[in-house]
Amino acid sequence: MTYRKINDLLLHNQVIASELEEALKRVLHSGWFALGPEVEGFEQNFASYCGTQYCKGVANGTDALEIGLRALGVEPGSEVITVANAGMYSSTAILAIGAKPVYADIEPDSFVMDAAHAESLIGPDTAALVVTHLFGRMADMPAFCALAEKHGIPLLEDCAQAHGASLAGHESKKAGSWGDVAAFSFYPTKNLGAIGDGGAIVTSSSEIHERIVRLRQYGWESKYRVVDRGGCNSRLDELQAAVLNVKLQHLDSWTQQRQQIGQTYSETINHVHVKTPEAVAGHVYHLYVLKSEHRDALQAHLKAHEIATDIHYPLLDYQQPVFAGEAISKQQLTNSEANVAQILTVPCYPELDDAGLQTVVAAINSWEL
Ligand SMILES: Cc1ncc(COP(=O)(O)O)c(C=O)c1O
């Protein structure tokens, strides 16, 4: 019955319960609860996993985006280019700074930003580019790096859905090591998830790293001495870091399980009205997202078979009620809008067993329109 959930966190954590309990106990008896040895250990381990010089733990992925953008020099009134189909997270961070999100369209079939369209939006107020590796698939980073260099614009990778992802031909270079800065979320459902909120920012620039260290703790240069505006309290706690240290050791094997599920779906779903995501190397299948011109009927059909589905995400950022009446809400992006009406997420997580997977495939293939 593993098909009844999009993700089963109870099952996921039960598999490694004894390792987690040991780590939690260690923190409880250490007397140190925020930004301590567990966090420092995790920061080192995760930087080395991503192939970056530095990693700093923060409270969640949205803070990671905001602090990352501030560290890149984004200021109130400036523009940040991002996508509109990624759940409003980057927009939330951009708006929190008082900057303006400028939305680039996505490529027709990959769900990720179209580099040519992004380039056409660069203007005198552009302060940064946020590239989101959505659903576990990386964007075309060689193209974005070239574009950022050509125009002298800093590049932030949103890796909240792409822990350990890579690109074909660049297998040893992981998501997060391409841009000037990268933001990660460890929300419990993520491929690397804590048992509460958590996030991290990685970079290989010592200057940016120093800014992040200050911004995540009130703008402190040293204790009680504030030198940066825009600082906040965004610390990763020791319990979450201890959990993440345990889970990081399992991440690659969980990723392989996700990739196996993704491959089986792609090879066996064969309904004429269902399009499976492009099967590209290095995809880490945070979410398995199908497309159908009859999406609502497909969702109802799967519901009748008790199969869990979801829509990531039902509204483009500029369609969110918060922008109602503003010029930004009038925007139209062809590929983003075509996708938002067709996307449907089906169960894909390491503990989805073969019977569950086959149930999903059989239900889709037997769907009668
Ligand atoms: C693509 C993306 N970016 C950013 C975030 C924000 O992360 P958090 O929920 O930890 O703030 C999320 C996740 O929720 C996400 O999926």
Side-chain angles (χ1 to χ4, degrees):
M1 305 292 187
T2 50
Y3 54 83
R4 285 186 174 169
K5 290 183 175 173
I6 280 288
N7 203 335
D8 191 332
L9 295 181
L10 184 61
L11 211 52
H12 186 58
N13 289 311
Q14 268 171 354
V15 177
I16 52 164
S18 60
E19 287 172 74
L20 292 178
E21 280 161 15
E22 200 180 302
L24 295 175
K25 225 188 268 175
R26 188 171 67 237
V27 174
L28 180 64
H29 296 291
S30 75
W32 200 324
F33 301 110
L35 296 190
E38 297 283 345
V39 171
E40 279 167 25
F42 175 70
E43 288 172 343
Q44 274 174 22
N45 295 338
F46 198 60
S48 134
Y49 182 82
C50 294
T52 57
Q53 287 291 316
Y54 307 100
C55 167
K56 283 287 153 275
V58 293
N60 56 66
T62 312
D63 280 4
L65 288 166
E66 184 183 332
I67 295 169
L69 288 172
R70 287 185 191 277
L72 290 176
V74 174
E75 293 193 338
S78 58
E79 293 182 354
V80 178
I81 297 172
T82 186
V83 284
N85 70 328
M88 191 76 193
Y89 305 107
S90 62
S91 298
T92 301
I94 294 163
L95 293 173
I97 298 174
K100 183 183 165 208
V102 174
Y103 297 113
D105 207 356
I106 53 171
E107 299 167 344
D109 291 316
S110 68
F111 304 115
V112 291
M113 191 186 271
D114 180 324
H117 189 235
E119 183 164 23
S120 73
L121 300 171
I122 294 173
D125 295 330
T126 307
L129 183 60
V130 175
V131 176
T132 303
H133 305 311
L134 201 64
F135 307 148
R137 178 188 171 139
M138 281 190 69
D140 181 358
M141 289 315 291
F144 285 106
C145 289
L147 191 157
E149 198 180 336
K150 177 173 157 196
H151 295 275
I153 293 167
L155 184 57
L156 184 151
E157 294 177 76
D158 181 349
C159 300
Q161 302 192 3
H163 311 74
S166 62
L167 282 171
H170 303 272
E171 285 75 10
S172 59
K173 192 164 168 58
K174 289 204 171 74
S177 66
W178 290 81
D180 297 291
V181 153
F184 285 86
S185 165
F186 305 122
Y187 184 73
T189 57
K190 301 302 186 204
N191 287 23
L192 178 62
I195 53 167
D197 275 311
I201 311 167
V202 300
T203 182
S204 289
S205 154
S206 58
E207 201 185 316
I208 293 173
H209 166 250
E210 278 165 27
R211 260 183 250 145
I212 293 166
V213 170
R214 298 195 297 267
L215 288 168
R216 78 169 168 176
Q217 209 167 202
Y218 317 115
W220 279 358
E221 176 194 54
S222 55
K223 207 170 176 187
Y224 308 138
R225 184 181 156 80
V226 178
V227 295
D228 284 313
R229 280 174 195 263
C232 60
N233 169 7
S234 185
R235 295 182 282 240
L236 182 63
D237 70 66
E238 289 284 282
L239 283 174
Q240 302 308 337
V243 166
L244 291 167
N245 271 321
V246 169
K247 290 193 174 184
L248 185 56
Q249 296 169 52
H250 297 274
L251 179 58
D252 285 343
S253 88
W254 288 332
T255 298
Q256 280 166 18
Q257 286 166 295
R258 288 177 181 276
Q259 289 171 330
Q260 188 60 54
I261 291 164
Q263 193 181 332
T264 306
Y265 272 149
S266 298
E267 286 171 1
T268 55
I269 293 174
N270 57 20
H271 196 288
V272 64
H273 291 293
V274 177
K275 194 166 180 187
T276 54
E278 287 175 333
V280 293
H283 197 314
V284 295
Y285 292 100
H286 172 59
L287 295 172
Y288 193 87
V289 179
L290 302 165
K291 288 206 285 187
S292 174
E293 285 167 12
H294 306 280
R295 188 264 312 281
D296 294 348
L298 175 60
Q299 188 171 32
H301 168 77
L302 294 178
K303 188 172 181 203
H305 285 74
E306 299 186 321
I307 293 169
T309 61
D310 206 342
I311 297 172
H312 296 92
Y313 296 89
L315 286 178
L316 296 171
D317 291 11
Y318 57 78
Q319 298 171 334
Q320 293 285 358
V322 69
F323 292 130
E326 293 180 34
I328 202 168
S329 70
K330 305 275 184 305
Q331 183 154 15
Q332 287 184 322
L333 295 172
T334 312
N335 296 335
S336 302
E337 299 206 1
N339 271 272
V340 84
Q342 295 186 15
I343 47 177
L344 188 65
T345 306
V346 293
C348 177
Y349 57 97
E351 295 73 29
L352 178 70
D353 59 15
D354 200 46
L357 192 152
Q358 294 307 337
T359 302
V360 179
V361 174
I364 293 173
N365 288 345
S366 65
W367 172 39
E368 286 177 20
L369 253 180

